[in-house]
Amino acid sequence: MELLQNNWIGGVGLATGAISFVAGLAMLARARRAPKSQLLNYLQQADDVADFEKAVQNALRAVLADTGATAGYVMLADAQEASQLTLAGSVLLDSKLQLNETQSVEQGISGLSFSNRQTILIHGQQSSSLLSEEFTTPVTSAIAIPLNMIEGAHNNGTSIERAAGVLVLATTGKALPLNSRHLEIAAAYGTVLSMLVHNLQMIEFSRETIMSTLQEFAEFLDAKDPFSVGHSRRTAEIADTIAEKLGVEAETRKEIWAGAQLMDMGKIAISDSILRKTSGLTDEEFDVVRGHPLVSFQICRKLRMPEGVLLIVRNHHERLDGSGYPDQLRGGELPLALRIVCVADAYDAMRCARHYREGMSSAEALQELMKDAGTKFDPGVIEAVRELTDEGVFEPLYEELRPQPIQLRVA
């Protein structure tokens, strides 16, 4: 087993999230013994790939072509909890090869490379135990390249690095075993992937910061109307609970949560005189209110929110029978995520008091929803609400809306 100290630092820079083509040429020269390297082609196309998973897949296909490996994959560590690596992307040319979705940093070739921040080249006969911890099927050789990110610099000018993950290549069957030349090629790709991971985490951090700011803003807008304080937050929680009940996948649930939180941002365009009006709205005033989903949509679109979030933000007042707004969607034009938010939004609106009525009880709100089951609202979603209501799941959300008893202080 060759255990090589990882003393190379990639020369790939990011310009607004793009990989520097010129620096990529330097890495290509590093792998000069592979004159037909795919790295140059990959770097030329990298600027056009905004999706991280697709970029990783493209890189893995290229490095497999350059090295003759039959498998390549990337495992990443959580920025906060680095005790476990999680599979982030893979390309397997051998259908018999199976990979672990997660790997302890204390096990296998990936764990050793990540923990020690070292490049590793290993052949099957050298350390079968190390490979058996990584693979459930036989592997003849493997390479592991740590993905290190530069996070700053010490006072003496040396870089501060953090281990972010690992790139692993492997050969199976009759494929020629990997060697030190392949290690150099893999190291070049590792540098590119390190920058991709850094870019992804910066994007995620930016998204989280933006979402946090927008959620605070949405809470502020809700507070402008005394009858809708906390509405977006409660709708998000109700919708997420319904989605979990219906077995909606995690990624869609994230979109449901974000869309429900941001759906009423467009109320910034509605004057306080309309929001706080205690008498009925005129037709002109109602048109202004009906316009808030489009304003919310424009705000979120400029911030490049995911399509699933944009759909919820724009269309949370649509109805199955086409009587909603702003696009009069109907039936199959409303995906399940949107149907869930539509029900959650209506449910919370009925539970909250208005100037012309008291807030409804859970039973009353459910009864109103059931009247429109199959016409305005999805019956399956309403059935989930019924079951959750019977369990009392939503009641803690409305404790804050109940009048609190006056505490008398005895002198």
Side-chain angles (χ1 to χ4, degrees):
M1 175 174 66
E2 297 180 45
L3 191 61
L4 307 177
Q5 180 64 38
N6 179 28
N7 56 10
W8 49 267
I9 299 176
V12 181
L14 287 176
T16 63
I19 301 174
S20 170
F21 173 69
V22 175
L25 292 177
M27 289 195 301
L28 182 61
R30 180 76 180 254
R32 57 190 176 279
R33 282 174 283 181
K36 296 182 180 180
S37 174
Q38 297 294 313
L39 182 57
L40 180 59
N41 291 335
Y42 174 73
L43 289 168
Q44 287 176 318
Q45 299 170 5
D47 285 354
D48 296 327
V49 179
D51 182 81
F52 173 74
E53 292 183 5
K54 185 176 181 181
V56 169
Q57 293 291 315
N58 290 347
L60 290 172
R61 291 190 185 94
V63 71
L64 292 190
D66 274 347
T67 61
T70 51
Y73 56 95
V74 171
M75 303 198 83
L76 299 180
D78 186 274
Q80 305 300 325
E81 179 55 52
S83 64
Q84 182 174 273
L85 299 170
T86 302
L87 189 66
S90 65
V91 173
L92 306 179
L93 304 183
D94 184 346
S95 59
K96 296 180 180 179
L97 186 64
Q98 296 181 345
L99 303 177
N100 297 317
E101 291 293 327
T102 60
Q103 180 82 28
S104 168
V105 297
E106 298 177 355
Q107 292 183 312
I109 185 174
S110 60
L112 181 62
S113 176
F114 174 84
S115 299
N116 296 323
R117 282 198 283 177
Q118 293 174 322
T119 59
I120 299 173
L121 170 60
I122 184 173
H123 293 106
Q125 68 273 20
Q126 293 174 316
S127 181
S128 58
S129 62
L130 191 64
L131 291 177
S132 64
E133 292 175 348
E134 185 89 13
F135 304 99
T136 56
T137 49
V139 167
T140 56
S141 66
I143 284 174
I145 304 291
L147 305 181
N148 299 322
M149 296 195 309
I150 298 175
E151 293 196 321
H154 296 288
N155 292 334
N156 62 5
T158 58
S159 300
I160 300 173
E161 291 187 346
R162 176 177 66 82
V166 61
L167 163 66
V168 180
L169 304 178
T171 57
T172 60
K174 298 181 179 180
L176 294 176
L178 300 167
N179 56 40
S180 56
R181 179 175 66 86
H182 301 133
L183 191 69
E184 287 189 3
I185 297 172
Y189 279 96
T191 301
V192 175
L193 287 167
S194 293
M195 301 308 294
L196 282 172
V197 172
H198 175 75
N199 191 36
L200 169 71
Q201 293 187 348
M202 291 298 292
I203 290 172
E204 285 300 309
F205 175 76
S206 298
R207 284 177 177 171
E208 289 174 2
T209 302
I210 289 172
M211 274 301 302
S212 177
T213 302
L214 291 179
Q215 286 170 8
E216 290 182 9
F217 185 55
E219 288 279 343
F220 167 76
L221 289 177
D222 280 351
K224 288 177 64 179
D225 179 359
F227 294 108
S228 65
V229 176
H231 170 64
S232 298
R233 172 177 49 80
R234 288 191 303 274
T235 298
E237 294 190 27
I238 293 168
D240 182 63
T241 303
I242 297 171
E244 182 181 22
K245 178 78 171 179
L246 294 175
V248 175
E249 61 182 16
E251 197 60 34
T252 302
R253 284 177 61 187
K254 290 180 182 178
E255 293 182 345
I256 288 173
W257 179 273
Q261 288 270 20
L262 305 179
M263 63 184 183
D264 283 340
M265 289 186 61
K267 287 183 178 178
I268 191 174
I270 305 175
S271 66
D272 287 353
S273 62
I274 295 178
L275 287 176
R276 296 173 178 270
K277 190 173 182 180
T278 57
S279 58
L281 298 179
T282 65
D283 290 342
E284 292 78 11
E285 290 170 336
F286 190 60
D287 285 341
V288 172
V289 172
R290 285 165 59 100
H292 82 270
L294 291 177
V295 178
S296 301
F297 172 76
Q298 293 296 341
I299 294 171
C300 292
R301 186 174 66 172
K302 289 180 179 179
L303 294 172
R304 297 185 179 182
M305 291 290 172
E307 288 298 322
V309 174
L310 293 177
L311 179 68
I312 290 170
V313 167
R314 180 184 179 107
N315 298 116
H316 61 279
H317 282 294
E318 303 288 354
R319 299 293 182 257
L320 290 178
D321 60 4
S323 63
Y325 59 90
D327 299 316
Q328 291 78 51
L329 301 183
R330 62 173 59 243
E333 295 176 314
L334 283 72
L336 178 59
L338 180 57
R339 297 182 188 203
I340 289 172
V341 174
C342 289
V343 170
D345 180 37
Y347 178 85
D348 185 73
M350 287 187 285
R351 292 296 307 270
C352 298
R354 290 293 183 265
H355 66 271
Y356 51 87
R357 64 163 172 81
E358 294 294 324
M360 296 183 187
S361 67
S362 59
E364 291 170 334
L366 178 62
Q367 185 177 16
E368 290 299 315
L369 286 175
M370 293 180 69
K371 289 179 181 178
D372 293 320
T375 53
K376 294 184 178 181
F377 300 115
D378 187 314
V381 176
I382 293 177
E383 175 59 22
V385 172
R386 186 194 65 76
E387 294 178 10
L388 292 166
T389 297
D390 289 345
E391 297 168 11
V393 173
F394 301 137
E395 289 314 295
L397 296 175
Y398 297 96
E399 288 293 333
E400 61 186 350
L401 301 182
R402 295 191 178 99
Q404 299 300 313
I406 299 175
Q407 299 287 336
L408 297 179
R409 180 178 297 178
V410 179

